[in-house]
Amino acid sequence: MLEGAEASRLIKAVTEQAYNAVLITDGALSSGGPSIVYCNPAFCRMTGYERSELLGRSPRLLQGPDTDPAVIDSLRQALRQGRFWEGSTVNYRQDGEPYFVNWSISPIVDDCGQVSHFVSIQQDITSRVRAETERDMLIQALNQAHDPVLVTDRDARIVFANAAFEELTGYRTEEVIGQTPALLSSGEQGPDFYRTMWQTLNSKRPFQARFINRRKDGSRYYVEQSIAPVLNKGGSLTHFISTSWQVDELVEREKALVDMATRDKLTGLLTRRAGDDALLRAHQEHLGKDTPLSVIICDIDHFKQVNDRHGHLSGDRVIREVAGLIERQLRAGDPAIRWGGEEFLIMVQASSGVALGLAERLRSAVEHFHDPKVGQVTLSLGVAEILPGESIEQLLGRADGALYRAKRSGRNCTISAAGN
């Protein structure tokens, strides 16, 4: 245990060599006191004063225009009450430059129980305050931004979300902090999409794409999103920052343009060109996965007479009604195509047996339909299933031949192509 002179020398060495500024004043609170009786080199470096310029003077010489009066009042009250105090404000160096200081003051009591001195430990926190101020300004700017901004750590845990993000997604910031952006996933973009995203980001390159996301209430929305990796001075990945802008209206316009190009204006079914593309894709899948593929070609019976007797408006109405009846009978994933004027093609990704059953349901549904002006309407249908090594053209030729035989057989009937 250190005692006497040895302890004194150690205490002096500690205060003289301390990284933090140390200031000791006497305990006099009157006549402008207390006065400085000791300051260490760190205090001199912080304030720009020589020790000789500080001893015997009041610490008030460090105060200036931006020193917070409320902080000083709180300090003085603590000194008068002889209790510990801690706070921060702006002080001024000898050259007039302001700095932010955080300090704690402890009263030193003598053997009689009276406060004889005050010891203050001080830190220059200017860099920290400026960093916090810049951060707060950045947060304020990001919160005022019109577009959503999201920041995650390198493990993709959300650390910041701005007000626009809250407005778009319906999630409050406190609900998403610590979560990953996966909570926004709609499930409509597969693993390959996100694998590509992470491969790009982990290679420290930005990633931009259209995301299909889901709000807190379950509704879907589209955003063009740009995600940038944030690197520290050493080049290590620390965060990701994402900015996005909602493109729901753009997507709707794009869909409308696609529909104009791929959907028949009268019936809403696929156009012949779009149907050709769908058949090509189905044929490629058939070749790649050996999946079954059948087609139904059907034609409204005696349609020329409908136009000749009742006019083209009635003819258009009948085509539209028959198209609606066909579409309501179809399975999901089996597209209907307006193949010609009054001719339709249905692509069925199943065997000819399934396709024949569907064709008969179509025939029956149309047979039981009566147009108020034209009367009964019927269909003739030809069905064909693709054969090994057969092209789309050959498949369609056999289905068309079956349709021709159905018409020759009295119409209002379904015939399967030879070879099925």
Side-chain angles (χ1 to χ4, degrees), residues 1 22 72 87 93 98 123 136 141 155 166 173 209 258 336 382 389:
M1 181 174 178
V22 178
I72 300 304
R93 297 183 174 90
Q123 288 180 307
D136 292 343
D155 297 320
E166 292 185 341
T173 297
V258 170

Side-chain angles (χ1 to χ4, degrees), residues 45-306:
R45 288 193 298 270
M46 182 176 70
T47 63
Y49 286 94
E50 297 291 337
R51 184 178 292 179
S52 59
E53 297 176 296
L54 293 169
L55 295 179
R57 301 185 68 180
S58 168
R60 293 180 186 178
L61 86 161
L62 301 173
Q63 298 174 19
D66 289 332
T67 303
D68 189 343
V71 172
I72 300 304
D73 287 345
S74 172
L75 163 63
R76 289 172 180 165
Q77 184 177 359
L79 295 182
R80 286 193 294 270
Q81 294 173 354
R83 57 180 175 82
F84 173 80
W85 181 89
E86 184 175 18
S88 59
T89 189
V90 175
N91 272 350
Y92 289 80
R93 297 183 174 90
Q94 185 187 42
D95 61 7
E97 181 184 0
Y99 66 98
F100 289 90
V101 62
N102 178 268
W103 76 103
S104 61
I105 299 178
S106 299
I108 305 299
V109 179
D110 60 20
D111 293 339
C112 299
Q114 300 297 314
V115 174
S116 63
H117 294 84
F118 296 98
V119 59
S120 172
I121 309 297
Q122 303 190 9
Q123 288 180 307
D124 184 343
I125 58 170
T126 303
S127 297
R128 188 182 78 191
V129 170
R130 286 176 178 169
E132 290 173 351
T133 301
E134 290 174 1
R135 180 202 63 192
D136 292 343
M137 289 176 62
L138 176 60
I139 290 174
Q140 184 178 6
L142 291 175
N143 275 323
Q144 291 177 353
H146 175 74
D147 296 320
V149 178
L150 194 68
V151 180
T152 74
D153 62 20
R154 65 183 179 183
D155 297 320
R157 298 290 176 182
I158 297 171
V159 297
F160 172 79
N162 72 344
F165 174 88
E166 292 185 341
E167 184 177 354
L168 176 62
T169 66
Y171 287 101
R172 298 190 307 276
T173 297
E174 55 266 28
E175 293 180 284
V176 300
I177 295 297
Q179 301 286 332
T180 72
L183 87 164
L184 302 173
S185 175
S186 65
E188 297 184 40
Q189 290 167 297
D192 288 345
F193 175 84
Y194 291 101
R195 188 177 301 112
T196 300
M197 179 189 77
W198 281 114
Q199 286 174 347
T200 303
L201 293 175
N202 287 329
S203 65
K204 302 178 182 179
R205 293 182 289 121
F207 178 81
Q208 184 170 342
R210 180 172 295 176
F211 285 72
I212 308 172
N213 286 342
R214 196 171 298 279
R215 297 181 178 87
K216 184 179 179 180
D217 63 11
S219 60
R220 184 178 62 183
Y221 67 96
Y222 295 83
V223 289
E224 290 290 344
Q225 189 165 335
S226 179
I227 307 172
V230 179
L231 309 180
N232 62 18
K233 292 181 179 179
S236 298
L237 185 62
T238 62
H239 294 81
F240 299 99
I241 182 167
S242 162
T243 56
S244 58
W245 50 100
Q246 191 175 1
V247 291
D248 286 0
E249 292 184 4
L250 176 61
V251 170
E252 290 302 319
R253 288 198 298 270
E254 289 175 350
K255 287 182 177 179
L257 290 172
V258 170
D259 283 346
M260 288 175 63
T262 62
R263 293 287 171 178
D264 176 62
K265 186 176 180 180
L266 177 63
T267 64
L269 303 182
L270 290 178
T271 62
R272 177 68 178 259
R273 175 176 291 183
D276 284 336
D277 292 340
L279 281 167
L280 179 61
R281 290 193 298 271
H283 187 238
Q284 290 171 340
E285 184 174 353
H286 161 74
L287 294 175
K289 300 181 180 179
D290 195 27
T291 54
L293 175 63
S294 301
V295 293
I296 304 169
I297 297 180
C298 53
D299 191 273
I300 300 174
D301 294 328
H302 304 295
F303 185 75
K304 185 176 183 301
Q305 295 178 17
V306 173

